[in-house]
Amino acid sequence: MTISESTTLFHTKKVVQYDPDIALQSGQDVVYRLSLDYDDKRKMPDLLAGFLEKTDKNALEALIIGMWGDPYESGADEVIAALVAHAAELPNLRALFIGDMTYEECEISWIVQGSYKPLLDAYPQLEELRIRGGNELVLEPFAHQNLRKLTIESGGLDQKIAEALAASSMPQLEHLELWLGTDDYGFSGDVALYRKVLAQLTVPTLKYLGLRDAEIADDLAVWLAEEPLVAQLDTLDLSLGTIGDLGAVAVLNHTQLGKLKRLDLSHHYISEENQAKLKALPFEVVLDDPQEADEDDGESYRYVAVGE
């Protein structure tokens, strides 16, 4: 699987592609996506400024930034700086997605990102932040009183990001979603590190935990099946990764998963026998997109759904 389509729904609003030559839609039921083509002579800060001149800045609740020209070469720091510069004009901005790109625009592991602490500091009212791309992503430890949903999508998440999260504070956090990826595309870290992340960020409001697209999905499942903090979750999402029978058996022998409402194991390498057992558990278990491991010279290979 690759990311083949732009986002169509964000912050419960329909996504509309911004076109400077078309009048903006009225109402609060849409969110605009700003993006440039490769041959576009404009710069994203200029496109953003033009958009803000046309919209009701006080009413703007959500915004998506797509391709900023050449995201495989130049990072998002210029985009972030422009958003920081406009922060005082956007008192009600609650949701941001930076990096909404398909694989045709830029493969996820090629997206050069930026440093996000200035953005988080500039928007204390922000409730949702979604970031796509882990290449040169910088996240320093931060404290944010209102952030409820944090998503970082990558083909390989550097352990420095997890370490920063393990030193951060989000007392209202409800949804934490991290795409770990593979070491071929920058993943580093282990279960011990993510145990620290969960210990730090599990606040009473946390109901969704996603450790997705992980080549260490079996190890994560073995840990989380016995992790007391998981007992407060509604949803545990280990989809897009390489979970197989080792992780499935850990779930089947669970002691901490009884209060779950949903366990997502989509894109998996689990045997039919264990799939049948998982479906009998007293909560929803999603087992879409079963995979077959590749065999080569006696070696078995599994692949995450989104790598390059």
Side-chain angles (χ1 to χ4, degrees):
M1 187 192 89
T2 55
I3 299 172
S4 58
E5 296 182 357
S6 300
T7 301
T8 58
L9 190 70
F10 179 61
H11 202 60
T12 70
K13 300 175 187 293
K14 181 181 73 171
V15 176
V16 174
Q17 181 69 32
Y18 172 60
D19 185 334
D21 297 325
I22 298 177
L24 297 183
Q25 296 184 28
S26 59
Q28 295 294 311
D29 59 343
V30 301
V31 53
Y32 275 95
R33 177 180 183 265
L34 279 58
S35 64
L36 299 172
D37 296 325
Y38 283 116
D39 57 355
D40 207 312
K41 301 302 182 184
R42 297 169 298 176
K43 299 293 185 181
M44 182 56 76
D46 297 329
L47 188 68
L48 174 63
F51 169 75
L52 293 178
E53 287 178 0
K54 297 179 180 180
T55 194
D56 181 352
K57 292 188 284 292
N58 284 321
L60 188 66
E61 293 183 359
L63 185 65
I64 296 176
I65 303 296
M67 193 171 71
W68 46 82
D70 52 356
Y72 56 90
E73 290 183 350
S74 60
D77 280 328
E78 188 176 47
V79 177
I80 293 170
L83 288 165
V84 169
H86 289 287
E89 306 169 53
L90 305 173
N92 292 304
L93 188 66
R94 294 292 184 266
L96 272 171
F97 179 8
I98 300 180
D100 183 24
M101 303 176 210
T102 67
Y103 76 95
E104 291 182 333
E105 292 172 313
C106 191
E107 296 281 8
I108 191 170
S109 66
W110 298 4
I111 299 172
V112 180
Q113 269 291 343
S115 178
Y116 276 81
K117 191 170 185 300
L119 181 76
L120 289 163
D121 290 343
Y123 289 90
Q125 79 278 16
L126 200 66
E127 295 177 359
E128 179 174 358
L129 176 62
R130 182 175 173 187
I131 301 166
R132 179 171 294 162
N135 188 12
E136 297 186 29
L137 175 64
V138 177
L139 189 66
E140 301 172 34
F142 64 91
H144 200 289
Q145 298 304 306
N146 291 304
L147 202 63
R148 287 165 168 74
K149 186 172 183 178
L150 176 64
T151 301
I152 303 176
E153 304 171 358
S154 78
L157 197 64
D158 190 284
Q159 66 183 35
K160 292 179 181 178
I161 303 302
E163 289 167 353
L165 290 173
S168 295
S169 172
M170 290 172 276
Q172 302 299 321
L173 190 64
E174 300 171 1
H175 178 117
L176 177 64
E177 180 178 345
L178 306 173
W179 293 23
L180 277 59
T182 74
D183 57 10
D184 288 337
Y185 295 105
F187 170 72
S188 55
D190 53 22
V191 166
L193 176 57
Y194 284 90
R195 183 180 286 114
K196 293 177 182 177
V197 172
L198 189 60
Q200 175 67 15
L201 296 182
T202 299
V203 292
T205 52
L206 187 68
K207 296 302 178 185
Y208 170 100
L209 174 65
L211 298 177
R212 308 181 69 195
D213 200 51
E215 66 180 1
I216 62 167
D218 270 333
D219 295 337
L220 293 170
V222 169
W223 156 47
L224 290 168
E226 299 296 334
E227 171 56 61
L229 294 174
V230 173
Q232 77 172 60
L233 300 176
D234 290 337
T235 299
L236 177 60
D237 190 345
L238 300 177
S239 64
L240 307 182
T242 62
I243 192 169
D245 284 330
L246 178 63
V249 169
V251 169
L252 290 167
N253 294 332
H254 70 279
T255 60
Q256 299 297 333
L257 302 180
K259 294 182 180 179
L260 278 181
K261 295 179 180 177
R262 190 171 193 267
L263 174 63
D264 194 339
L265 304 178
S266 301
H267 188 275
H268 62 85
Y269 295 81
I270 300 170
S271 66
E272 291 186 2
E273 178 184 359
N274 282 324
Q275 288 183 57
K277 293 178 181 178
L278 287 166
K279 290 176 181 177
L281 290 173
F283 45 81
E284 180 187 7
V285 181
V286 184
L287 291 163
D288 297 342
D289 197 18
Q291 303 290 309
E292 293 288 340
D294 288 347
E295 303 290 338
D296 186 15
D297 292 333
E299 296 288 335
S300 180
Y301 298 94
R302 303 179 194 173
Y303 302 96
V304 300
V306 182
E308 184 178 13

